[in-house]
């Protein structure tokens, strides 16, 4: 079934959704672009207009999760570190099935690329020290998520946020809250 009268964003979403469904049934390496396009109901040219690889699909999926976090859950003047992390863990937990498929395929490392991209674009200061701090912050959040993925995300989001908070010094303020 070919899709007509759809927006570019909708096409991307169909491709992402189709890839994730295929990943639940097949190994990453076995999934072909042809299978993705057939399942999504789009042409190969539509696929290549939006993505260069399956890794790009995973990155787009992670970007969507981060946008969801920022648009719906993030409050910029948080006073408690747990309130900063809990919405992220909650959104990730809602997507547990997909995230576990990505992690088990060996591709959850792409989340670090997305975190780096997001945090560095928030960096309005061009100093090397500030840029390094953003990379450090992104790496910490990424590794906390990797730990959680390794636990099959069996730790509830609230408990995960508390565990993560306990890894920081007492007066720690997340870098994104300082800017």
């Amino acid at each position: 079934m070919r899709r007509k009268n759809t927006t570019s964003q909708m096409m991307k979403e169909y491709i992402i959704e189709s890839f994730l469904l295929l990943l639940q049934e097949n190994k990453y390496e076995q999934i072909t672009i042809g299978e993705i396009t057939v399942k999504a109901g789009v042409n190969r040219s539509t696929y290549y207009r939006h993505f260069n690889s399956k890794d790009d699909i995973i990155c787009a999926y992670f970007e969507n999760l981060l946008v969801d976090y920022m648009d719906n859950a993030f409050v910029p003047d948080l006073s408690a570190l747990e309130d900063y992390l809990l919405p992220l863990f909650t959104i990730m937990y809602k997507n547990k099935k997909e995230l576990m498929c990505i992690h088990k395929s060996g591709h959850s490392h792409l989340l670090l690329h997305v975190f780096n991209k997001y945090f560095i674009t928030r960096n309005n200061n061009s100093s090397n020290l500030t840029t390094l701090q953003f990379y450090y912050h992104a790496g910490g959040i990424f590794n906390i998520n990797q730990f959680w993925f390794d636990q099959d995300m069996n730790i509830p989001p609230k408990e995960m946020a508390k565990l993560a908070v306990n890894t920081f010094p007492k007066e720690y303020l997340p870098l994104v809250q300082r800017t």
Side-chain angles (χ1 to χ4, degrees):
M1 162 186 80
R2 293 283 173 222
R3 300 182 188 272
K4 296 180 181 180
N5 300 322
T6 55
T7 67
S8 179
Q9 186 59 36
M10 289 170 69
M11 293 293 196
K12 282 178 76 170
E13 295 301 322
Y14 295 144
I15 293 167
I16 292 168
E17 181 182 320
S18 296
F19 171 75
L20 292 171
L21 287 170
L22 288 167
L23 190 59
Q24 291 174 31
E25 303 164 2
N26 305 288
K27 291 185 179 186
Y28 176 92
E29 300 78 22
Q30 296 172 333
I31 300 171
T32 67
I33 303 308
E35 289 174 312
I36 296 168
T37 58
V38 167
K39 190 156 194 79
V42 301
N43 294 319
R44 284 179 88 84
S45 61
T46 302
Y47 171 87
Y48 285 112
R49 190 175 357 214
H50 298 290
F51 303 104
N52 293 318
S53 67
K54 294 181 283 187
D55 285 1
D56 284 352
I57 298 172
I58 293 172
C59 286
Y61 174 71
F62 286 149
E63 288 169 4
N64 289 347
L65 291 180
L66 195 55
V67 166
D68 191 24
Y69 165 62
M70 297 310 294
D71 287 350
N72 300 312
F74 186 74
V75 180
D77 60 342
L78 298 170
S79 57
L81 187 54
E82 187 176 330
D83 292 338
Y84 167 70
L85 294 171
L86 180 58
L88 177 64
F89 292 128
T90 301
I91 286 169
M92 297 289 221
Y93 194 75
K94 287 178 183 174
N95 292 274
K96 180 179 178 176
K97 185 194 300 186
E98 294 83 2
L99 289 169
M100 287 292 83
C101 285
I102 292 168
H103 184 64
K104 289 176 181 175
S105 77
H107 292 82
S108 59
H109 68 278
L110 295 169
L111 182 59
L112 179 58
H113 170 73
V114 173
F115 279 158
N116 283 339
K117 180 178 167 185
Y118 171 74
F119 287 117
I120 296 307
T121 59
R122 286 186 58 100
N123 179 7
N124 298 328
N125 183 333
S126 61
S127 80
N128 287 337
L129 177 59
T130 304
T131 301
L132 185 59
Q133 289 172 327
F134 273 97
Y135 275 115
Y136 183 81
H137 181 73
I141 300 295
F142 165 74
N143 279 305
I144 289 168
N145 276 282
Q146 284 297 107
F147 167 81
W148 195 28
F149 297 161
D150 288 343
Q151 307 303 310
D152 293 325
M153 296 177 75
N154 286 329
I155 302 169
K158 190 160 185 69
E159 186 179 335
M160 196 62 222
K162 285 181 183 184
L163 283 170
V165 166
N166 287 327
T167 68
F168 296 115
K170 291 265 185 227
E171 286 80 33
Y172 178 78
L173 182 63
L175 188 61
V176 295
Q177 290 178 336
R178 291 186 242 157
T179 58

